[in-house]
Amino acid sequence: MKELIMIIIGSALVNNVVLSQFLGLCPFLGVSKKTNTAAGMGAAVIFVITVASALCSLIYSKLLVPLDMGYLQTIVFILVIACLVQFVELILKKYSRPLYSALGVYLPLITTNCAVLGVALINVTEDYGLVKSTINGFGTAAGFTIAIIIMAGIRERIEYNDVTKSFQGSPIVLITAGLMAMAFFGFAGL
Amino acid sequence: MKMNKYVERIYNGIIKENPTFIIMLGMCPTLAVTTSGNNGLYMGLTTTVVLAMSNLLISALRKFIPDKVRIPAYIVVVASLVTVVQLLLAAYLPVVNELLGIYIPLIVVNCIILGRAEAYAAKNSIGLSLFDGIGMGLGFTLALSIIGSFRELLGAGTIFSFKITPDSFEPISIFILAPGALFTLAILTALQNKLKLPSATNGSAGNNVGCGGDCSHCMGSTCTTNREEISSKAETSKVTIAKKSEAGDTQNQK
Protein backbone atom coordinates (compact mmCIF):
# COMPACT_ATOMS: atom_id res chain seq x y z
CA MET A 1 0.00 0.00 0.00
CA LYS A 2 2.76 2.40 1.00
CA GLU A 3 4.52 1.67 -2.28
CA LEU A 4 1.39 2.49 -4.28
CA ILE A 5 1.02 5.86 -2.53
CA MET A 6 4.68 6.54 -3.28
CA ILE A 7 4.05 5.80 -6.97
CA ILE A 8 1.07 8.19 -7.08
CA ILE A 9 2.95 11.05 -5.39
CA GLY A 10 6.03 10.39 -7.53
CA SER A 11 4.19 10.37 -10.84
CA ALA A 12 1.76 13.20 -10.10
CA LEU A 13 3.97 15.72 -8.34
CA VAL A 14 7.68 14.89 -8.17
CA ASN A 15 8.14 13.74 -11.76
CA ASN A 16 5.26 15.75 -13.17
CA VAL A 17 4.65 14.52 -16.68
CA VAL A 18 4.44 17.95 -18.33
CA LEU A 19 6.72 20.09 -16.24
CA SER A 20 9.63 17.73 -15.75
CA GLN A 21 9.35 15.16 -18.54
CA PHE A 22 7.84 17.36 -21.25
CA LEU A 23 5.31 14.77 -22.36
CA GLY A 24 1.95 16.07 -23.56
CA LEU A 25 3.29 19.57 -23.93
CA CYS A 26 1.17 20.40 -26.99
CA PRO A 27 -2.26 20.04 -25.32
CA PHE A 28 -0.79 21.64 -22.19
CA LEU A 29 -0.01 24.80 -24.14
CA GLY A 30 -2.93 24.52 -26.58
CA VAL A 31 -5.94 23.79 -24.36
CA SER A 32 -5.01 25.89 -21.33
CA LYS A 33 -6.75 29.13 -22.25
CA LYS A 34 -9.86 28.62 -20.04
CA THR A 35 -10.17 26.78 -16.76
CA ASN A 36 -13.25 24.75 -17.68
CA THR A 37 -11.88 23.48 -21.00
CA ALA A 38 -8.64 22.65 -19.21
CA ALA A 39 -10.62 20.67 -16.63
CA GLY A 40 -12.47 18.83 -19.42
CA MET A 41 -9.23 17.93 -21.14
CA GLY A 42 -7.78 16.82 -17.80
CA ALA A 43 -10.74 14.54 -17.10
CA ALA A 44 -10.51 12.96 -20.57
CA VAL A 45 -6.76 12.42 -20.12
CA ILE A 46 -7.22 10.79 -16.69
CA PHE A 47 -9.80 8.42 -18.15
CA VAL A 48 -7.82 7.45 -21.25
CA ILE A 49 -4.38 7.16 -19.64
CA THR A 50 -5.66 5.02 -16.75
CA VAL A 51 -7.47 2.60 -19.08
CA ALA A 52 -4.63 2.62 -21.63
CA SER A 53 -1.92 1.86 -19.10
CA ALA A 54 -3.94 -1.03 -17.63
CA LEU A 55 -4.64 -2.43 -21.10
CA CYS A 56 -1.09 -2.01 -22.39
CA SER A 57 0.34 -3.60 -19.27
CA LEU A 58 -2.03 -6.59 -19.65
CA ILE A 59 -1.19 -7.00 -23.33
CA TYR A 60 2.53 -6.74 -22.65
CA SER A 61 2.66 -9.28 -19.82
CA LYS A 62 0.03 -11.74 -21.11
CA LEU A 63 0.58 -11.58 -24.86
CA LEU A 64 3.90 -10.10 -25.92
CA VAL A 65 6.16 -11.60 -23.25
CA PRO A 66 4.87 -15.22 -23.54
CA LEU A 67 5.17 -15.00 -27.33
CA ASP A 68 8.67 -13.50 -26.97
CA MET A 69 7.72 -10.45 -28.99
CA GLY A 70 8.55 -7.69 -26.50
CA TYR A 71 10.28 -5.74 -29.27
CA LEU A 72 6.89 -5.06 -30.89
CA GLN A 73 5.80 -2.96 -27.89
CA THR A 74 5.92 0.44 -29.61
CA ILE A 75 3.80 -0.64 -32.59
CA VAL A 76 1.30 -2.57 -30.47
CA PHE A 77 0.92 0.18 -27.86
CA ILE A 78 0.30 2.98 -30.35
CA LEU A 79 -2.33 0.90 -32.15
CA VAL A 80 -4.00 -0.11 -28.89
CA ILE A 81 -4.14 3.52 -27.81
CA ALA A 82 -5.54 4.72 -31.13
CA CYS A 83 -8.23 1.99 -31.12
CA LEU A 84 -9.02 2.58 -27.45
CA VAL A 85 -9.65 6.28 -28.00
CA GLN A 86 -11.97 5.56 -30.93
CA PHE A 87 -13.75 2.86 -28.94
CA VAL A 88 -14.24 5.06 -25.88
CA GLU A 89 -15.62 7.78 -28.11
CA LEU A 90 -18.14 5.41 -29.71
CA ILE A 91 -19.28 3.98 -26.36
CA LEU A 92 -19.70 7.38 -24.77
CA LYS A 93 -21.63 8.60 -27.79
CA LYS A 94 -24.04 5.67 -27.57
CA TYR A 95 -24.55 5.24 -23.83
CA SER A 96 -23.64 8.44 -22.06
CA ARG A 97 -24.65 11.60 -23.85
CA PRO A 98 -23.78 14.04 -21.05
CA LEU A 99 -20.32 12.55 -20.59
CA TYR A 100 -19.79 12.57 -24.35
CA SER A 101 -20.73 16.20 -24.69
CA ALA A 102 -18.35 17.01 -21.83
CA LEU A 103 -15.34 14.99 -22.97
CA GLY A 104 -16.08 14.21 -26.63
CA VAL A 105 -14.22 17.08 -28.26
CA TYR A 106 -11.02 16.30 -26.39
CA LEU A 107 -10.91 12.59 -27.15
CA PRO A 108 -9.47 12.72 -30.71
CA LEU A 109 -6.74 15.03 -29.45
CA ILE A 110 -5.55 12.43 -27.01
CA THR A 111 -4.36 9.90 -29.61
CA THR A 112 -1.44 12.14 -30.44
CA ASN A 113 -0.75 13.04 -26.82
CA CYS A 114 2.70 11.61 -26.23
CA ALA A 115 1.98 11.25 -22.50
CA VAL A 116 -0.28 8.24 -23.17
CA LEU A 117 2.37 6.29 -25.05
CA GLY A 118 5.03 7.61 -22.69
CA VAL A 119 3.32 6.19 -19.59
CA ALA A 120 2.75 2.80 -21.26
CA LEU A 121 6.46 2.62 -22.13
CA ILE A 122 7.59 3.81 -18.67
CA ASN A 123 5.44 1.05 -17.10
CA VAL A 124 7.32 -1.53 -19.17
CA THR A 125 10.80 -0.14 -18.49
CA GLU A 126 10.05 0.14 -14.75
CA ASP A 127 8.74 -3.43 -14.78
CA TYR A 128 5.44 -2.49 -13.11
CA GLY A 129 2.69 -5.13 -12.83
CA LEU A 130 -0.97 -4.56 -13.69
CA VAL A 131 -1.93 -2.79 -10.43
CA LYS A 132 1.18 -0.61 -10.28
CA SER A 133 0.85 0.30 -13.98
CA THR A 134 -2.76 1.39 -13.51
CA ILE A 135 -1.85 3.42 -10.43
CA ASN A 136 1.14 4.98 -12.21
CA GLY A 137 -1.09 5.85 -15.18
CA PHE A 138 -3.67 7.44 -12.92
CA GLY A 139 -1.02 9.40 -11.00
CA THR A 140 0.60 10.68 -14.18
CA ALA A 141 -2.73 11.79 -15.62
CA ALA A 142 -3.66 13.45 -12.33
CA GLY A 143 -0.34 15.33 -12.50
CA PHE A 144 -1.20 16.47 -16.03
CA THR A 145 -4.62 17.66 -14.88
CA ILE A 146 -3.19 19.56 -11.91
CA ALA A 147 -0.62 21.27 -14.13
CA ILE A 148 -3.05 22.20 -16.92
CA ILE A 149 -5.70 23.59 -14.52
CA ILE A 150 -3.14 25.72 -12.65
CA MET A 151 -1.80 26.90 -16.00
CA ALA A 152 -5.28 27.83 -17.23
CA GLY A 153 -5.95 29.78 -14.01
CA ILE A 154 -2.74 31.75 -14.41
CA ARG A 155 -3.41 32.41 -18.10
CA GLU A 156 -6.87 33.78 -17.34
CA ARG A 157 -5.15 36.32 -15.10
CA ILE A 158 -2.40 37.13 -17.58
CA GLU A 159 -5.15 38.20 -20.00
CA TYR A 160 -5.67 41.33 -17.89
CA ASN A 161 -1.98 42.11 -17.45
CA ASP A 162 0.11 44.46 -19.49
CA VAL A 163 2.71 42.19 -21.05
CA THR A 164 5.66 43.60 -23.02
CA LYS A 165 4.87 43.43 -26.71
CA SER A 166 7.50 40.91 -27.73
CA PHE A 167 6.52 38.59 -24.87
CA GLN A 168 2.81 38.50 -25.76
CA GLY A 169 1.40 35.15 -26.82
CA SER A 170 3.59 32.06 -26.56
CA PRO A 171 6.67 33.52 -24.81
CA ILE A 172 4.80 34.59 -21.66
CA VAL A 173 3.05 31.21 -21.52
CA LEU A 174 6.40 29.44 -21.75
CA ILE A 175 7.88 31.67 -19.01
CA THR A 176 4.87 30.85 -16.82
CA ALA A 177 5.38 27.15 -17.46
CA GLY A 178 9.06 27.53 -16.57
CA LEU A 179 8.20 29.20 -13.24
CA MET A 180 5.67 26.45 -12.54
CA ALA A 181 8.34 23.85 -13.26
CA MET A 182 10.61 25.57 -10.72
CA ALA A 183 7.79 25.55 -8.18
CA PHE A 184 7.25 21.84 -8.76
CA PHE A 185 10.91 21.22 -7.83
CA GLY A 186 9.73 21.87 -4.30
CA PHE A 187 7.95 18.52 -4.35
CA ALA A 188 11.26 16.70 -4.87
CA GLY A 189 11.73 16.75 -1.08
CA LEU A 190 8.56 14.69 -0.49
CA MET B 1 20.38 30.95 -60.41
CA LYS B 2 17.80 28.22 -60.22
CA MET B 3 18.49 25.63 -57.60
CA ASN B 4 18.31 21.94 -58.27
CA LYS B 5 14.97 20.81 -56.85
CA TYR B 6 16.62 18.20 -54.60
CA VAL B 7 19.04 20.75 -53.19
CA GLU B 8 16.08 23.10 -52.79
CA ARG B 9 14.37 20.52 -50.52
CA ILE B 10 17.43 20.38 -48.25
CA TYR B 11 17.64 24.20 -48.12
CA ASN B 12 13.91 24.38 -47.42
CA GLY B 13 14.23 22.00 -44.46
CA ILE B 14 17.26 23.62 -42.91
CA ILE B 15 16.55 27.32 -43.46
CA LYS B 16 13.24 28.26 -45.00
CA GLU B 17 10.87 25.97 -43.12
CA ASN B 18 13.10 24.88 -40.25
CA PRO B 19 10.85 22.57 -38.21
CA THR B 20 11.95 23.87 -34.81
CA PHE B 21 12.70 27.57 -35.31
CA ILE B 22 10.11 28.44 -37.95
CA ILE B 23 7.29 25.88 -37.85
CA MET B 24 7.55 25.06 -34.13
CA LEU B 25 6.90 21.35 -34.53
CA GLY B 26 7.89 18.52 -32.25
CA MET B 27 8.33 20.63 -29.13
CA CYS B 28 8.28 17.75 -26.63
CA PRO B 29 11.60 16.13 -27.69
CA THR B 30 13.05 19.57 -28.41
CA LEU B 31 12.63 20.61 -24.80
CA ALA B 32 13.24 17.27 -23.16
CA VAL B 33 16.52 16.11 -24.68
CA THR B 34 18.39 19.37 -25.25
CA THR B 35 20.21 19.29 -21.93
CA SER B 36 23.50 19.22 -23.86
CA GLY B 37 24.71 19.72 -27.41
CA ASN B 38 25.54 16.04 -27.75
CA ASN B 39 22.06 14.90 -26.68
CA GLY B 40 20.46 17.30 -29.15
CA LEU B 41 22.72 16.06 -31.93
CA TYR B 42 21.99 12.36 -31.22
CA MET B 43 18.24 12.93 -31.01
CA GLY B 44 18.30 15.00 -34.20
CA LEU B 45 20.22 12.38 -36.16
CA THR B 46 17.97 9.54 -34.94
CA THR B 47 14.90 11.53 -35.97
CA THR B 48 16.51 12.33 -39.34
CA VAL B 49 16.96 8.64 -40.11
CA VAL B 50 13.36 7.84 -39.19
CA LEU B 51 12.01 10.87 -41.05
CA ALA B 52 13.93 10.16 -44.27
CA MET B 53 12.94 6.48 -44.29
CA SER B 54 9.30 7.17 -43.41
CA ASN B 55 9.01 9.82 -46.14
CA LEU B 56 10.54 7.36 -48.61
CA LEU B 57 8.24 4.47 -47.66
CA ILE B 58 5.07 6.54 -47.43
CA SER B 59 5.78 8.17 -50.78
CA ALA B 60 6.40 4.73 -52.32
CA LEU B 61 3.12 3.44 -50.85
CA ARG B 62 1.06 6.57 -51.56
CA LYS B 63 -0.89 4.98 -54.41
CA PHE B 64 -1.74 1.85 -52.39
CA ILE B 65 -2.87 3.37 -49.08
CA PRO B 66 -6.62 4.11 -49.16
CA ASP B 67 -7.34 7.69 -48.21
CA LYS B 68 -9.67 6.83 -45.32
CA VAL B 69 -7.16 4.77 -43.34
CA ARG B 70 -4.08 6.77 -44.24
CA ILE B 71 -3.29 8.05 -40.73
CA PRO B 72 -3.28 4.59 -39.06
CA ALA B 73 -1.28 3.26 -42.03
CA TYR B 74 1.32 6.02 -41.62
CA ILE B 75 1.50 5.37 -37.89
CA VAL B 76 2.22 1.66 -38.46
CA VAL B 77 4.98 2.49 -40.98
CA VAL B 78 6.56 5.03 -38.61
CA ALA B 79 6.27 2.77 -35.56
CA SER B 80 7.97 -0.10 -37.41
CA LEU B 81 10.82 2.18 -38.51
CA VAL B 82 11.25 3.52 -34.98
CA THR B 83 11.44 -0.04 -33.63
CA VAL B 84 14.11 -0.93 -36.21
CA VAL B 85 16.14 2.17 -35.36
CA GLN B 86 15.80 1.53 -31.63
CA LEU B 87 17.02 -2.08 -31.98
CA LEU B 88 19.96 -0.93 -34.14
CA LEU B 89 20.91 1.72 -31.56
CA ALA B 90 20.64 -0.80 -28.72
CA ALA B 91 22.98 -3.13 -30.64
CA TYR B 92 25.59 -0.71 -31.99
CA LEU B 93 25.35 2.51 -29.94
CA PRO B 94 24.07 1.42 -26.52
CA VAL B 95 25.32 4.69 -24.97
CA VAL B 96 22.98 6.76 -27.15
CA ASN B 97 20.14 4.36 -26.41
CA GLU B 98 20.68 4.81 -22.64
CA LEU B 99 20.97 8.57 -22.97
CA LEU B 100 17.78 9.17 -24.96
CA GLY B 101 15.83 6.33 -23.34
CA ILE B 102 12.07 6.68 -23.66
CA TYR B 103 12.35 9.55 -26.15
CA ILE B 104 13.43 7.18 -28.94
CA PRO B 105 10.14 5.20 -29.06
CA LEU B 106 8.33 8.52 -28.62
CA ILE B 107 9.62 9.63 -32.05
CA VAL B 108 6.47 7.81 -33.28
CA VAL B 109 4.26 10.58 -31.95
CA ASN B 110 6.60 13.40 -32.99
CA CYS B 111 4.41 15.64 -35.12
CA ILE B 112 7.24 16.41 -37.56
CA ILE B 113 7.08 12.86 -38.90
CA LEU B 114 3.32 12.60 -39.43
CA GLY B 115 3.23 16.26 -40.49
CA ARG B 116 5.74 15.73 -43.28
CA ALA B 117 4.09 12.46 -44.32
CA GLU B 118 0.73 14.18 -44.61
CA ALA B 119 1.97 17.45 -46.12
CA TYR B 120 4.69 16.25 -48.46
CA ALA B 121 5.38 12.54 -48.88
CA ALA B 122 1.74 11.67 -49.59
CA LYS B 123 1.77 13.85 -52.71
CA ASN B 124 5.30 13.84 -54.10
CA SER B 125 7.72 11.49 -55.81
CA ILE B 126 9.98 9.11 -53.91
CA GLY B 127 13.23 10.98 -54.56
CA LEU B 128 11.88 14.38 -53.58
CA SER B 129 10.22 12.97 -50.45
CA LEU B 130 13.48 11.34 -49.37
CA PHE B 131 15.35 14.62 -49.75
CA ASP B 132 12.55 16.49 -48.00
CA GLY B 133 12.92 14.09 -45.07
CA ILE B 134 16.70 14.51 -44.99
CA GLY B 135 16.40 18.31 -45.19
CA MET B 136 13.78 18.55 -42.45
CA GLY B 137 15.76 16.10 -40.31
CA LEU B 138 18.98 18.10 -40.71
CA GLY B 139 17.10 21.30 -39.86
CA PHE B 140 15.77 19.62 -36.72
CA THR B 141 19.26 18.32 -35.85
CA LEU B 142 20.81 21.75 -36.31
CA ALA B 143 18.15 23.41 -34.16
CA LEU B 144 18.43 20.82 -31.37
CA SER B 145 22.23 21.08 -31.37
CA ILE B 146 22.09 24.88 -31.15
CA ILE B 147 19.52 24.88 -28.33
CA GLY B 148 21.43 22.09 -26.57
CA SER B 149 24.75 23.93 -26.85
CA PHE B 150 23.19 27.15 -25.57
CA ARG B 151 21.74 25.40 -22.52
CA GLU B 152 24.94 23.45 -21.94
CA LEU B 153 27.07 26.62 -22.15
CA LEU B 154 24.97 28.48 -19.59
CA GLY B 155 24.14 25.49 -17.41
CA ALA B 156 27.44 23.64 -17.31
CA GLY B 157 29.98 25.94 -18.97
CA THR B 158 30.78 23.46 -21.73
CA ILE B 159 29.81 22.94 -25.39
CA PHE B 160 29.77 19.36 -26.69
CA SER B 161 31.52 18.47 -23.40
CA PHE B 162 34.49 20.81 -24.07
CA LYS B 163 35.10 23.35 -21.32
CA ILE B 164 34.60 26.85 -22.68
CA THR B 165 34.08 29.24 -19.82
CA PRO B 166 36.81 30.32 -17.35
CA ASP B 167 36.79 28.79 -13.87
CA SER B 168 35.45 32.00 -12.38
CA PHE B 169 32.13 31.45 -14.25
CA GLU B 170 29.61 29.84 -11.97
CA PRO B 171 27.30 27.68 -14.20
CA ILE B 172 23.62 28.58 -13.99
CA SER B 173 22.54 25.01 -13.46
CA ILE B 174 18.81 25.80 -13.85
CA PHE B 175 19.45 25.91 -17.60
CA ILE B 176 20.15 22.21 -17.85
CA LEU B 177 17.09 21.41 -15.71
CA ALA B 178 13.49 21.36 -16.90
CA PRO B 179 12.61 25.06 -16.31
CA GLY B 180 15.67 26.13 -18.32
CA ALA B 181 14.26 24.45 -21.41
CA LEU B 182 11.04 26.45 -21.15
CA PHE B 183 12.91 29.72 -20.48
CA THR B 184 15.21 29.12 -23.46
CA LEU B 185 12.27 28.54 -25.78
CA ALA B 186 10.45 31.57 -24.35
CA ILE B 187 13.47 33.80 -25.02
CA LEU B 188 13.79 32.39 -28.52
CA THR B 189 10.15 33.07 -29.44
CA ALA B 190 10.29 36.51 -27.82
CA LEU B 191 13.32 37.38 -29.95
CA GLN B 192 11.50 36.17 -33.04
CA ASN B 193 8.57 38.41 -32.13
CA LYS B 194 10.86 41.38 -31.43
CA LEU B 195 12.85 41.06 -34.64
CA LYS B 196 9.73 40.08 -36.61
CA LEU B 197 11.37 36.91 -37.85
CA PRO B 198 9.10 34.40 -39.57
CA SER B 199 7.75 31.96 -37.01
CA ALA B 200 4.55 30.01 -36.55
CA THR B 201 4.05 31.49 -33.08
CA ASN B 202 3.55 35.00 -34.45
CA GLY B 203 1.57 33.77 -37.43
CA SER B 204 4.05 34.82 -40.09
CA ALA B 205 5.37 31.45 -41.19
CA GLY B 206 3.08 31.13 -44.19
CA ASN B 207 0.41 28.52 -44.11
CA ASN B 208 1.62 25.90 -46.57
CA VAL B 209 3.17 23.76 -43.90
CA GLY B 210 0.59 21.01 -44.04
CA CYS B 211 -0.17 20.76 -40.40
CA GLY B 212 -0.37 24.52 -40.04
CA GLY B 213 2.70 24.57 -37.84
CA ASP B 214 2.81 25.81 -34.27
CA CYS B 215 2.24 22.96 -31.86
CA SER B 216 0.94 25.23 -29.16
CA HIS B 217 -2.21 26.02 -31.08
CA CYS B 218 -2.61 22.75 -32.93
CA MET B 219 -4.06 20.48 -30.21
CA GLY B 220 -3.06 17.46 -32.22
CA SER B 221 -5.50 17.35 -35.09
CA THR B 222 -4.98 20.47 -37.18
CA CYS B 223 -3.19 18.56 -39.93
CA THR B 224 -6.29 16.53 -40.72
CA THR B 225 -8.60 19.56 -40.71
CA ASN B 226 -6.15 21.68 -42.67
CA ARG B 227 -5.60 19.05 -45.33
CA GLU B 228 -8.56 19.93 -47.56
CA GLU B 229 -7.83 23.62 -47.34
CA ILE B 230 -4.20 23.22 -48.29
CA SER B 231 -4.82 20.88 -51.19
CA SER B 232 -7.49 23.22 -52.58
CA LYS B 233 -5.08 26.15 -52.14
CA ALA B 234 -2.38 24.25 -54.01
CA GLU B 235 -4.82 23.52 -56.82
CA THR B 236 -5.99 27.12 -57.19
CA SER B 237 -2.38 28.32 -57.30
CA LYS B 238 -1.69 25.73 -60.03
CA VAL B 239 -4.73 26.94 -61.95
CA THR B 240 -3.67 30.59 -61.70
CA ILE B 241 -0.16 29.69 -62.86
CA ALA B 242 -1.63 27.78 -65.80
CA LYS B 243 -3.89 30.73 -66.63
CA LYS B 244 -0.97 33.16 -66.46
CA SER B 245 1.13 31.06 -68.79
CA GLU B 246 -1.84 30.74 -71.15
CA ALA B 247 -2.29 34.51 -71.11
CA GLY B 248 1.41 34.87 -71.80
CA ASP B 249 1.10 32.50 -74.75
CA THR B 250 -1.79 34.41 -76.31
CA GLN B 251 0.10 37.67 -75.89
CA ASN B 252 3.12 36.14 -77.52
CA GLN B 253 0.97 35.01 -80.42
CA LYS B 254 -0.39 38.52 -80.88
Side-chain angles (χ1 to χ4, degrees), chain B residues 2 19 22 26 28 37-38 58 93 95 97 104 115 153 162 177-178 195 200 239 250-251:
Chain B
K2 201 167 172 270
I22 315 268
C28 308
N38 276 335
I58 287 169
L93 291 168
V95 186
N97 193 37
I104 294 176
L153 178 66
F162 293 111
L177 298 173
L195 305 174
V239 170
T250 47
Q251 270 182 346

Side-chain angles (χ1 to χ4, degrees), chain A residues 150-179:
Chain A
I150 297 179
M151 185 67 173
I154 299 176
R155 279 182 81 171
E156 279 183 358
R157 295 213 147 198
I158 291 179
E159 286 281 297
Y160 301 106
N161 288 358
D162 191 16
V163 180
T164 319
K165 193 146 187 269
S166 39
F167 272 88
Q168 277 171 11
S170 316
I172 190 71
V173 176
L174 289 166
I175 294 273
T176 315
L179 292 173

Side-chain angles (χ1 to χ4, degrees), chain A residues 19 21-23 25 29-31 33 71 74-75 78 109 112 114 118 121-122 166-168 170-171 174-175 177-178 182 185, chain B residues 28 31-32 75-76 79-80 83 102-103 105-106 108-109 178-179 181-183 185-186 189-190 193 201 215-217 219-221:
Chain A
L19 296 170
Q21 304 187 57
F22 298 116
L23 300 177
L25 199 69
L29 297 175
V31 202
K33 283 216 180 73
Y71 60 90
T74 315
I75 307 177
I78 188 88
L109 310 182
T112 47
C114 38
L121 290 167
I122 289 173
S166 39
F167 272 88
Q168 277 171 11
S170 316
L174 289 166
I175 294 273
M182 283 171 85
F185 272 155
Chain B
C28 308
L31 293 177
I75 290 179
V76 174
S80 321
T83 310
I102 190 182
Y103 294 99
L106 284 177
V108 181
V109 281
L182 295 159
F183 291 144
L185 193 68
T189 45
N193 283 351
T201 43
C215 274
S216 56
H217 296 97
M219 313 199 282
S221 60

Side-chain angles (χ1 to χ4, degrees), chain B residues 7 17 19 52 87 125 129 146 150 154 159 188 208 254:
Chain B
V7 182
E17 287 188 4
L87 291 176
S125 70
S129 302
I146 292 175
F150 177 76
L154 287 180
I159 287 184
L188 179 72
N208 52 358
K254 274 174 192 173

